[in-house]
Structure formats: C-alpha cells, structure tokens
C-alpha cells in the first residue's frame, strides 16, 4: 500500500479531489506542532516511512516543516517528493535525491512571480515613487515616464516562471530574449540565447530578470563585470536567489548608475539585516522574499500535486521532474 506524508490542513482541503488511483493509499499527516499521525493515532518519525512526500506551499510557513523534512530523510524507501519550491538548492533536496527519491518542483509560482516582476518594472518606469511623493505634497506634477513597449527584456532562466514573465512583457510590446541551456526558439520569446551569450546581450537590455537556479555555475554570476556591461538606465530584477548576485558589487554599480535601479526580492542574508545598505538605497526596491505569495499560489500547488499524484500512481510521466544530475551538482 502506498503511504503518503502530507501536511494535515492541506490534505483536508484536497481529500474530496484525490484521484481514484489514490483510493487505497494511506496518509501520514503532520500538524503544526509536528506531530505525525496514521489512522488517527500518533506515531514516531521512524514509524512513518512514507513512499511519497507532498510539501504543500503553506507547509513552509509552519513550524512543522522541519519535522516534515526529517521524516522524509528518515524514510527507508522514499520514492517521490512533490516540492513546493521552484528550485532545488536546499541541501535537503540533495539528500533526498541521493537516497533515491524522485523530485518534482513546483511551477505554481509562475503566475504570481510574473505579476510581481511586471509590477516592479512598471512602478519604476512609471515613476511610482515620484507620483506618490507628488500626491503627498498636493503637487499637480505631470511626470513623463518610460513605456515597456519597444524595450528589450533579457530573462536569464527560461523555465515556467521565466516564460510567464515573457508572455506578460510581450503583451506590453516588449522584445524578449530568453536564456536557457537548451538552444532553439521558444514561442514565448522573440529570441533565445544560451548562458554563454548573456554578457554580450547586456548592453542592449533595458530589463534583466534573474530566474536561474542557484548552483556552482550560477553563484555570483552577477559580478562587477556583469554589472559593468549593463545598459545605462536599465533595471536589474532578482527573483531567483540572493547568491546569484555579488551584493557589494551591485551597490557599487548602482552608485555608478549601471544599472539605474534594482528590484530585489532575495538576498544573501534573509531576513535582510536591519543595517543593510539596501534598505535605504533610493535606487533599490526590495521585498521580503515575497514575490510568489499571491492568493492563487496555494490552489495552483494543490492542482499540481493532484495531477502528479494521479500520474505517479498510474505510471505516467511526472510534471516538472528535476534531473538528479542538476540537483546533485
């Protein structure tokens, strides 16, 4: 019998929608206190031994998340984990995959994160801070602004989130170049490039969006040379991982005006320390690693798990399955 580890509040929401193939599965649930139960009875971590683990989006905000990971890591024959994250740089994922589990990532963030990116770029181009300042001062100021149409967008990392950003930017009339390791055209972009071409494309890019996973090859990719190649007046958007960026180099580049502005949702240290120079930098718009948490994130994650659960139990290909070589790199 297949045994599935799930966060109790999330499981209650989807119980009525479980696929027919899951009729005979049994669920080990975990509540906010970290207590595990099977058939209503409390069990020890060592007794749980799930075949499948479902990391619901809301689990990451629960104190039970640590015990959830521990339960997965102690499972003797874990076969598949549905993650709530888009990336897999968390060391726990490496351990799970090295133990033989399949890992599927989550693309439920694509809608919310792409809307966040468009919001941040629009707010800067449309001079949102100046407009709000003029309103506060009762100043009837007619402020010219930049349009997204005809601007060049370079989206570094062209998975589900990057593609969603591309679709929305293209709808405004932007010219989008997507960057991914696999060469060839993509319907969501007007042009495609491989990672080795990024620096040569920076001088023409008005907007640069970072969406690559963090790995040995991408850590610190935005360094002084990368920033020096950027176009005057450009905006750098980082919704990938904080360690993609050399933060001291970025602060120096912002002071020099290339890029003109940075929209940052992720940082090397999180929560961002109160004395960080990013807080008060007028060339920075920052948020607290919150670009994905739109109100549709949870339901989309649940839909993905239900789809993949039916696929797993009926022997079909899983959606968003991570390549073990990438996870373990």
């Amino acid at each position: 019998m297949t045994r599935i580890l799930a966060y109790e509040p999330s499981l209650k929401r989807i119980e009525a929608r479980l696929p027919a193939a899951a009729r005979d599965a049994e669920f080990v649930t975990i509540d906010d206190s970290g207590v595990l139960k099977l058939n209503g009875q409390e069990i020890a971590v060592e007794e749980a031994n799930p075949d499948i683990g479902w990391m619901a989006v809301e689990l990451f905000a629960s104190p039970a998340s640590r015990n959830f990971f521990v339960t997965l890591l102690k499972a003797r024959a874990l076969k598949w984990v549905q993650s709530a994250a888009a990336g897999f740089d968390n060391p726990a994922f490496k351990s799970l995959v090295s133990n033989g589990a399949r890992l599927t990532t989550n693309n439920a963030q694509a809608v919310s994160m792409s809307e966040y990116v468009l919001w941040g770029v629009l707010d800067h181009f449309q001079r949102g801070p100046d407009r709000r300042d003029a309103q506060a001062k009762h100043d009837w100021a007619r402020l010219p602004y930049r349009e997204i149409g005809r601007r060049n967008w370079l989206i570094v990392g062209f998975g589900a989130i990057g593609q969603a950003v591309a679709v929305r930017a293209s709808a405004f009339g932007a010219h989008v170049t997507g960057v991914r390791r696999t060469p060839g055209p993509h319907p969501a972009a007007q042009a495609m490039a491989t990672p080795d071409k990024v620096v040569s494309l920076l001088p023409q890019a008005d907007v640069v969006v970072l969406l690559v996973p963090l790995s040995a090859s991408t850590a610190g990719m935005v360094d002084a040379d990368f920033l020096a190649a950027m176009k005057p007046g450009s905006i750098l958007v980082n919704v990938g991982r904080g360690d993609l960026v050399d933060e001291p180099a970025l602060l120096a580049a912002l002071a020099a005006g290339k890029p003109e502005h940075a929209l940052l949702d992720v940082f090397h240290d999180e929560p961002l320390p109160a004395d960080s120079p990013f807080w008060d930098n007028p060339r920075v718009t920052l948020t607290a690693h919150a670009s994905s948490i739109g109100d549709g994130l949870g339901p989309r994650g649940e839909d993905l798990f239900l789809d993949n659960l039916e696929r797993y139990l009926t022997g079909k290909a899983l959606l968003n399955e991570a390549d073990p070589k990438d996870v373990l790199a």
Side-chain angles (χ1 to χ4, degrees), residues 76-161:
R76 296 186 296 277
L78 185 68
K79 297 179 179 65
W80 165 50
V81 176
Q82 173 63 60
S83 173
F88 39 73
D89 50 287
N90 187 315
F93 292 135
K94 295 183 185 296
S95 297
L96 294 171
V97 170
S98 66
N99 289 341
R102 300 166 69 182
L103 176 69
T104 50
T105 59
N106 191 1
N107 62 5
Q109 300 91 340
V111 171
S112 45
M113 289 181 69
S114 60
E115 290 189 6
Y116 169 94
V117 172
L118 265 292
W119 157 77
V121 174
L122 278 167
D123 192 59
H124 178 64
F125 277 13
Q126 294 264 350
R127 300 177 62 182
D130 294 335
R131 288 177 171 177
R132 290 186 284 274
D133 183 61
Q135 180 177 350
K137 293 176 179 177
H138 299 194
D139 179 10
W140 188 256
R142 300 179 70 242
L143 303 173
Y145 59 88
R146 280 189 278 173
E147 300 171 358
I148 287 181
R150 301 173 292 106
R151 307 293 175 184
N152 292 319
W153 285 52
L154 183 62
I155 302 177
V156 187
F158 213 66
I161 301 170

Side-chain angles (χ1 to χ4, degrees), residues 66-305:
R66 182 183 180 280
N67 209 31
F68 189 96
F69 271 105
V70 170
T71 304
L72 293 180
L73 290 167
K74 289 190 174 183
R76 296 186 296 277
L78 185 68
K79 297 179 179 65
W80 165 50
V81 176
Q82 173 63 60
S83 173
F88 39 73
D89 50 287
N90 187 315
F93 292 135
K94 295 183 185 296
S95 297
L96 294 171
V97 170
S98 66
N99 289 341
R102 300 166 69 182
L103 176 69
T104 50
T105 59
N106 191 1
N107 62 5
Q109 300 91 340
V111 171
S112 45
M113 289 181 69
S114 60
E115 290 189 6
Y116 169 94
V117 172
L118 265 292
W119 157 77
V121 174
L122 278 167
D123 192 59
H124 178 64
F125 277 13
Q126 294 264 350
R127 300 177 62 182
D130 294 335
R131 288 177 171 177
R132 290 186 284 274
D133 183 61
Q135 180 177 350
K137 293 176 179 177
H138 299 194
D139 179 10
W140 188 256
R142 300 179 70 242
L143 303 173
Y145 59 88
R146 280 189 278 173
E147 300 171 358
I148 287 181
R150 301 173 292 106
R151 307 293 175 184
N152 292 319
W153 285 52
L154 183 62
I155 302 177
V156 187
F158 213 66
I161 301 170
Q163 293 163 29
V165 173
V167 168
R168 285 157 178 77
S170 296
F172 279 83
H175 180 279
V176 174
T177 299
V179 177
R180 63 178 181 180
R181 290 178 298 178
T182 307
H186 192 284
Q190 286 71 52
M192 293 295 295
T194 48
D196 58 304
K197 304 297 184 185
V198 168
V199 173
S200 67
L201 294 168
L202 290 172
Q204 293 80 45
D206 299 287
V207 180
V208 179
V209 184
L210 304 178
L211 277 163
V212 291
L214 180 64
S215 67
S217 62
T218 61
M221 63 179 289
V222 180
D223 56 13
D225 290 340
F226 183 109
L227 294 159
M230 291 186 71
K231 182 179 181 178
S234 60
I235 177 171
L236 176 71
V237 180
N238 188 9
V239 284
R241 287 291 184 267
D243 284 339
L244 297 175
V245 176
D246 179 335
E247 292 183 345
L250 175 57
L251 288 166
L254 287 166
K258 286 201 322 179
E260 178 181 89
H261 198 78
L263 171 62
L264 306 173
D265 187 50
V266 287
F267 297 87
H268 174 71
D269 293 318
E270 296 184 3
L272 188 66
D275 61 353
S276 169
F278 284 111
W279 284 110
D280 299 311
N281 192 313
R283 293 185 178 273
V284 172
T285 299
L286 68 83
T287 49
H289 204 142
S291 62
S292 69
I293 54 176
D295 57 7
L297 176 64
R300 287 190 296 273
E302 291 166 2
D303 290 344
L304 176 62
F305 170 67

Side-chain angles (χ1 to χ4, degrees), residues 7-15 54 56-59 302:
Y7 180 51
E8 186 177 45
S10 303
L11 178 61
K12 285 182 178 178
R13 264 199 314 280
I14 67 163
E15 276 182 317
W54 172 36
V57 169
E58 62 187 333
L59 175 66
E302 291 166 2

